[in-house]
Each structure stands twice: as structure tokens, then as C-alpha cells.
């Protein structure tokens, strides 16, 4: 079996996770041949800590021009996603990109078109729908275990933004950062996968006085294709620990996915109780699925169409209109 030759571009939090934790698990099937990071001292430090010896670059254009690759992992700030992916597609390289797909809806749509023209794999690093707790949640929904759903609540509440482990120059910026973009996009995409299309968005967003800073408070309603509404509550001033959770209210009870992966369920007149997800076999990580597909084996991942459709909703949230915005005309269906 030939190893897939891969480059990692960007050594922020997710880039470091990739080289230190994910890639070592699949060393027999994929080879990290090149690495790019603008902070050269940081790059050398991470390479030494990981015990690896790829070719090192501070310019991704030079890397993509000089190194033969099968796959590139894009983990740079959102404003650079478009340029890196565009060059990769022009060279026929498969692309695995962090979310959000791009820095604007225009860029995201263009990337979908470029990906199709290149006829290569195009994946966005969405993993929440394949987490064991979400797979269990989906199963409970299919069983109608809490009866007909009548509403949902989505909480994106943080004591501070960015979090203490998430400090970088762009994560708090209004252009590229904020918890709607960094965290909300995961939940938007998961909801689209589990509950169906979000068709209408109404939001109120409060920003700090500093025009460079991302949102502070958000109140929004996301309406699904079946008219079920999801009420979104967001803040960067929560008292106590952060809460990132989805609560589904049904006629016969409630299901809550608390802080990403803790699942609870209650009957109509009972308290929430933990739901065991140990029996759920997850296909994660997404990297494993991509490697399988590149080797001609079955696999599952979320492509640039999924990234674009999640960004449609994200941008409607971040740029409120008058009343509800109908996002259906902007949504794209994947080609078969």
C-alpha cells in the first residue's frame, strides 16, 4: 500500500493536533512530507517536539509549488483558506480544510466550483455529526423517543472570548473570529445533518464598542424546513463555566446534548438522566475516513457543499436583516 503524501499548512491549535496526535496514529498509511508556518521559531519547536522531519516552509505558495503532494491540510486563519485551497486545486491536490470553509460566502461558493472543476476530494473538518453522542441523538430522534419535536434551544455561552487556550491575533476579530464563526459553525452544520435544512434565520447581534472585536451577545431564531424553531442564546459574559449545548424539547420529553458530547434524556414529567453512548461505534477521526477514500476504500466525510451551506446560515446570523432571512435561494445541492 502506497503512503499518501501530505502537507500541513498552519500550526495553530488544530495544526498542532494534527501533527502531534492524529498523524502518528496513521503513520503506516500517510506521510507528512511538508509543513508550513509563518512563525518559524514556533514551527521548529513543534517539529522537534513531534520528532518529525518534514520539509519546512514559511510560505505556503512555495511549498505547494515545490512539493509533490496527494493531500493538503489547511489550518491557517479563515482569510487564507481561499488562496491555499485554490492553488491546491490548480495542482490537482486533494484538500482537507478547517472550518469555516472561507472568509465570505462569495469565496466559499467559488471554492465549491473550483473543487468540482479539479475533480479531487474536498473535505471540511466537521466531526460533530459523527461523534458518538450525536449518533445516539440521531438514533433517538429517528425512534421518536421524545415524541414530536416542538422547539430546540442552542446555547453558545462563554465566560470570555477567546478562551484562555485559544489566544491568537485573529480569533477575536470581527472579520475572522468570534464564537459564532469558531463554534457556532459546528452546531449549524450538525443541525443541518441531523435535523435537515435550516431555511430561515433571524438574529440580533451586539458588538463591543471596538469595531475590530467580534460579537458579545447574540439572540437568534433558526427555522428548520419543517418550521421547527431553534432559539440561539450566545454570550461572552457567562457566569461560571462555558455552556455549548443543544436542548431538544418534544411532546413526550427532552433530549439535551450538553457541552458537545454529554447526552441526557427525560420523560414528560421527569428529570434529565444521562444516556449511555458506549455502545456507539464512531467512524471518527475524519482523517481516517479521508485516508480510506484516497486508498479506494469506503469512507464518510463532509465536503465543500456542506461547508458552503453551513456558511450560508452563519453569514445570515452574523449579518442580521429585517425579520427572518430566507436562505433557501442560496443553498446548494451536491452534484451526484
Amino acid at each position: 500500500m502506497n503512503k499518501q503524501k501530505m502537507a500541513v499548512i498552519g500550526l495553530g491549535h488544530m495544526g498542532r493536533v494534527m501533527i502531534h496526535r492524529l498523524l502518528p496514529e496513521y503513520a503506516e498509511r500517510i506521510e507528512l512530507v511538508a509543513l508550513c508556518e509563518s512563525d518559524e521559531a514556533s514551527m521548529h519547536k513543534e517539529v522537534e517536539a513531534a520528532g518529525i522531519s518534514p520539509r519546512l516552509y514559511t510560505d505556503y505558495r512555495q511549498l505547494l509549488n515545490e512539493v509533490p503532494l496527494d493531500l493538503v491540510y489547511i489550518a491557517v486563519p479563515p482569510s487564507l483558506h481561499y488562496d491555499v485551497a485554490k492553488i491546491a486545486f490548480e495542482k490537482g491536490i486533494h484538500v482537507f480544510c478547517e472550518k469555516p470553509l472561507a472568509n465570505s460566502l462569495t469565496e466559499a461558493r467559488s471554492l465549491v466550483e473550483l473543487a468540482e472543476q479539479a475533480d479531487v476530494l474536498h473535505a471540511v473538518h466537521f466531526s460533530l455529526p459523527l461523534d458518538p453522542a450525536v449518533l445516539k441523538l440521531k438514533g433517538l430522534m429517528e425512534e421518536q423517543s421524545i415524541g414530536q419535536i416542538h422547539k430546540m434551544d442552542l446555547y453558545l455561552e462563554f465566560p470570555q472570548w477567546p478562551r484562555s487556550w485559544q489566544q491568537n491575533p485573529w480569533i477575536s476579530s470581527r472579520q475572522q473570529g468570534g464564537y459564532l464563526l469558531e463554534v457556532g459553525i459546528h452546531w449549524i452544520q450538525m443541525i443541518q445533518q441531523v435535523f435537515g435544512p435550516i431555511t430561515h434565520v433571524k438574529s440580533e447581534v451586539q458588538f463591543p464598542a471596538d469595531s475590530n472585536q467580534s460579537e458579545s451577545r447574540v439572540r437568534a431564531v433558526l427555522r428548520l424546513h419543517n418550521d421547527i424553531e431553534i432559539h440561539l442564546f450566545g454570550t461572552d459574559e457567562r457566569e461560571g463555566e462555558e455552556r455549548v449545548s443543544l436542548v431538544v424539547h418534544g411532546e413526550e420529553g427532552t433530549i439535551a446534548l450538553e457541552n458537545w458530547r454529554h447526552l441526557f434524556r427525560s420523560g414528560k414529567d421527569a428529570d434529565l438522566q444521562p444516556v449511555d453512548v458506549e455502545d456507539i461505534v464512531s467512524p471518527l477521526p475524519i482523517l481516517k475516513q479521508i485516508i480510506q477514500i484516497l486508498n479506494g476504500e469506503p469512507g464518510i466525510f463532509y465536503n465543500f457543499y456542506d461547508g458552503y451551506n453551513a456558511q450560508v446560515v452563519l453569514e445570515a446570523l452574523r449579518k442580521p436583516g429585517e425579520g427572518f432571512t430566507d436562505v433557501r435561494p442560496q443553498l446548494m445541492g451536491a452534484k451526484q
Side-chain angles (χ1 to χ4, degrees):
M1 180 186 301
N2 292 329
K3 285 187 178 182
Q4 302 292 331
K5 296 185 182 299
M6 177 177 172
V8 170
I9 297 180
L11 279 181
H13 176 71
M14 294 308 300
R16 294 194 300 273
V17 168
M18 180 62 70
I19 69 167
H20 290 294
R21 184 164 63 83
L22 292 176
L23 282 173
E25 293 184 30
Y26 304 98
E28 294 182 357
R29 307 193 70 181
I30 194 163
E31 180 184 3
L32 179 63
V33 297
L35 195 59
C36 181
E37 166 57 45
S38 59
D39 185 338
E40 191 168 5
S42 173
M43 177 167 57
H44 284 284
K45 176 184 175 182
E46 298 297 338
V47 165
E48 182 178 356
I52 54 179
S53 55
R55 295 171 66 176
L56 303 181
Y57 292 85
T58 56
D59 184 334
Y60 63 83
R61 297 178 184 86
Q62 185 181 1
L63 183 158
L64 292 169
N65 280 327
E66 293 182 359
V67 184
L69 295 171
D70 299 302
L71 175 68
V72 61
Y73 175 60
I74 301 174
V76 290
S79 64
L80 295 174
H81 286 187
Y82 179 82
D83 194 41
V84 180
K86 180 176 183 290
I87 296 171
F89 287 140
E90 289 170 350
K91 295 182 175 298
I93 300 168
H94 302 293
V95 173
F96 183 21
C97 186
E98 272 305 321
K99 51 71 200 162
L101 176 56
N103 204 40
S104 71
L105 208 51
T106 301
E107 287 184 352
R109 178 177 282 273
S110 178
L111 283 180
V112 172
E113 295 167 353
L114 290 168
E116 288 296 340
Q117 293 167 13
D119 194 26
V120 294
L121 179 146
H122 45 97
V124 183
H125 201 180
F126 289 126
S127 59
L128 187 56
L130 301 178
D131 189 88
V134 178
L135 293 174
K136 185 72 171 185
L137 167 66
K138 185 176 181 181
L140 293 172
M141 293 295 103
E142 291 170 350
E143 296 169 6
Q144 294 191 318
S145 66
I146 58 170
Q148 187 71 30
I149 300 171
H150 59 82
K151 74 163 187 170
M152 299 185 232
D153 296 317
L154 177 60
Y155 298 92
L156 306 175
E157 299 184 341
F158 303 87
Q160 67 178 58
W161 186 268
R163 294 111 137 186
S164 59
W165 53 269
Q166 216 173 13
Q167 304 295 317
N168 63 51
W170 56 269
I171 198 98
S172 64
S173 72
R174 197 170 300 187
Q175 180 190 19
Q176 299 188 75
Y179 56 82
L180 281 179
L181 186 152
E182 273 294 303
V183 177
I185 189 76
H186 282 292
W187 292 81
I188 291 168
Q189 190 264 344
M190 182 273 280
I191 289 167
Q192 289 171 319
Q193 295 298 319
V194 175
F195 298 97
I198 296 167
T199 60
H200 294 78
V201 177
K202 180 172 68 173
S203 65
E204 296 177 4
V205 183
Q206 293 182 4
F207 292 97
D210 184 345
S211 61
N212 293 317
Q213 294 300 299
S214 59
E215 70 277 354
S216 178
R217 182 179 180 274
V218 179
R219 293 292 182 269
V221 179
L222 311 177
R223 184 177 291 163
L224 293 172
H225 62 105
N226 53 13
D227 292 331
I228 293 171
E229 291 187 346
I230 304 156
H231 292 253
L232 189 159
F233 307 91
T235 183
D236 63 359
E237 297 180 347
R238 177 179 169 85
E239 294 184 7
E241 296 182 355
E242 72 175 56
R243 185 185 186 191
V244 182
S245 305
L246 178 69
V247 182
V248 184
H249 302 278
E251 292 178 347
E252 302 299 327
T254 298
I255 294 177
L257 179 60
E258 293 287 344
N259 292 323
W260 299 94
R261 52 184 51 89
H262 301 291
L263 195 63
F264 299 85
R265 178 173 59 170
S266 73
K268 194 170 185 179
D269 298 309
D271 295 331
L272 287 166
Q273 299 295 326
V275 176
D276 186 11
V277 299
E278 294 297 322
D279 59 326
I280 301 297
V281 178
S282 169
L284 294 176
I286 297 293
L287 178 65
K288 177 177 73 172
Q289 299 299 312
I290 289 173
I291 294 170
Q292 289 174 183
I293 291 168
L294 294 182
N295 280 286
E297 304 165 19
I300 180 172
F301 67 93
Y302 300 101
N303 63 23
F304 277 23
Y305 284 96
D306 298 306
Y308 170 83
N309 286 334
Q311 194 149 356
V312 167
V313 177
L314 174 70
E315 295 305 323
L317 274 172
R318 297 178 78 206
K319 301 172 183 177
E322 293 292 329
F324 277 98
T325 298
D326 184 350
V327 300
R328 289 174 294 180
Q330 294 178 295
L331 298 175
M332 299 176 72
K335 293 181 180 178
Q336 300 299 316

